[in-house]
C-alpha cells in the first residue's frame, strides 16, 4: 500500500518519508498519504529493545580470566538519525556494547567485578549512551547478568570464605570467654563474701540435674563440710587441753608443801 500512496503508522512507530531518495519528513501514527512511486516510507519503532550481550572471555586487571555476559536496554529517540546516520543500528549497538563491556571489565579487579557491579553497570551505560547519541539511540540500562569464574578460582574463594567464617567464629568465641571470665570473677567475689551462696548454687545445680530423673547423684559437699567442722572441733579441744594442763600443775604444788614436817 505504500507504493499506492497510503501507509498506516502504528502508535509506537514513526514513518520517515523519502521523496526521490531525499529526506522529506517524519510522519506521526495514523493513516498517511504519499505521492505514489515518488515517496518511500521507512517505519522506525520507538519501543524499548532488550538486547542480550553474549558471554565473552575477559582478563581482569589482576590477570584472572572470567566469562562475562550482560543485557542492554535501548530505544530509538530520533527516527531520522537511526536511518540516515547508520545502516543497522541494532547490530551496531550490539557490537559496541560487547566491546565496552570487555574494556570496562578488563580495567577492573576481580573483587570489584564481583562486589561492585552497580558501578560497572553505570560506567558501561554512560559510555554506550555517549557513543550511540549520534545514531539517535538512547541507552536506558546495562546490567552484568552472568559472571563465570574458573574452577580453581571458585575453590580458592570457597576456602577464603570458609577461613573468614572460622576467623569470625573464633573471635566471637574468644569474646564470649572474656565476658564469661569477667562474670565468673564477679561471681567468685560475691560467693567469697557470702559462703552460703555457694551452697545455694550447689542446690540449684542438683535441682537441674535431677529434673531428668534418670541418674544417681553423689554430692560430697556436705561430707566435706562435716570433715572440716570435725577438724576444727578437734583442734579446738586440743588447744583447750594444752591450756588447762599448766593450771592443774599450779594447783597441786601448795598441797605438797603443807604436808612437809620440819626436822
Amino acid at each position: 500500500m505504500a507504493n499506492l500512496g497510503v501507509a498506516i503508522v502504528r502508535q509506537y512507530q514513526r514513518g520517515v518519508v523519502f521523496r526521490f531518495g531525499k529526506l522529506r519528513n517524519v510522519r506521526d501514527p495514523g493513516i498517511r498519504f504519499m505521492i505514489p512511486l515518488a515517496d518511500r516510507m521507512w517505519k522506525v519503532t520507538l519501543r524499548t529493545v532488550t538486547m542480550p550481550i553474549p558471554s565473552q572471555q575477559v582478563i581482569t586487571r589482576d590477570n584472572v580470566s572470567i566469562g562475562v555476559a550482560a543485557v542492554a536496554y535501548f530505544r530509538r529517540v530520533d527516527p531520522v538519525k537511526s536511518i540516515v546516520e547508520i545502516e543497522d543500528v541494532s547490530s551496531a549497538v550490539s557490537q559496541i556494547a560487547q566491546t565496552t563491556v570487555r574494556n570496562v571489565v578488563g580495567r577492573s579487579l576481580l573483587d570489584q567485578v564481583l562486589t561492585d557491579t552497580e558501578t560497572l553497570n553505570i560506567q558501561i551505560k554512560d559510555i554506550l549512551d555517549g557513543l550511540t547519541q549520534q545514531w539517535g539511540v538512547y541507552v536506558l540500562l546495562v546490567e552484568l547478568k552472568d559472571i563465570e569464574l574458573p574452577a580453581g578460582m571458585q575453590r580458592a574463594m570457597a576456602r577464603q570464605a570458609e577461613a573468614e567464617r572460622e576467623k569470625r567464629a573464633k573471635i566471637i568465641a574468644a569474646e564470649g570467654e572474656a565476658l564469661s571470665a569477667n562474670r565468673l570473677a564477679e561471681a567468685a567475689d560475691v560467693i567469697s563474701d557470702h559462703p552460703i551462696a555457694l551452697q545455694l548454687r550447689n542446690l540449684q545445680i542438683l535441682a537441674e540435674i535431677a529434673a531428668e530423673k534418670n541418674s544417681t547423684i553423689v554430692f560430697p559437699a556436705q561430707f566435706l563440710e562435716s570433715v572440716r567442722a570435725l577438724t576444727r572441733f578437734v583442734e579446738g579441744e586440743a588447744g583447750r587441753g594444752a591450756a588447762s594442763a599448766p593450771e592443774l600443775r599450779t594447783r597441786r604444788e601448795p598441797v605438797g608443801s603443807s604436808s612437809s614436817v620440819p626436822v
Side-chain angles (χ1 to χ4, degrees), residues 30-162:
I31 299 177
R32 299 304 169 187
F33 298 96
M34 299 175 295
I35 300 175
L37 303 178
D39 292 344
R40 182 177 178 85
M41 177 183 288
W42 293 85
K43 296 179 182 179
V44 178
T45 178
L46 302 183
R47 291 182 294 184
T48 300
V49 179
T50 302
M51 184 188 65
I53 302 174
S55 178
Q56 53 187 332
Q57 291 297 318
V58 181
I59 299 177
T60 61
R61 198 171 70 181
D62 48 355
N63 298 323
V64 179
S65 178
I66 60 176
V68 180
V71 60
Y73 300 88
F74 70 93
R75 62 185 179 90
R76 299 170 179 89
V77 294
D78 192 331
V80 175
K81 286 185 177 181
S82 64
I83 294 178
V84 175
E85 299 294 335
I86 191 167
E87 180 179 0
D88 188 350
V89 65
S90 297
S91 177
V93 173
S94 176
Q95 295 298 321
I96 196 64
Q98 294 182 40
T99 304
T100 305
V101 169
R102 183 168 58 250
N103 293 338
V104 172
V105 174
R107 293 195 301 264
S108 306
L109 298 173
L110 177 61
D111 291 340
Q112 184 179 3
V113 175
L114 297 176
T115 60
D116 197 12
T117 55
E118 184 176 357
T119 302
L120 297 180
N121 295 335
I122 295 174
Q123 293 179 5
I124 297 171
K125 184 259 182 188
D126 293 340
I127 294 174
L128 286 178
D129 195 24
L131 293 174
T132 58
Q133 282 182 358
Q134 58 185 336
W135 305 331
V137 173
Y138 173 68
V139 179
L140 285 75
L141 182 66
V142 178
E143 290 286 341
L144 300 178
K145 67 174 184 177
D146 189 13
I147 300 175
E148 298 178 0
L149 297 176
M153 181 60 64
Q154 293 181 11
R155 290 192 295 269
M157 294 178 66
R159 291 194 299 269
Q160 179 183 0
E162 184 179 357

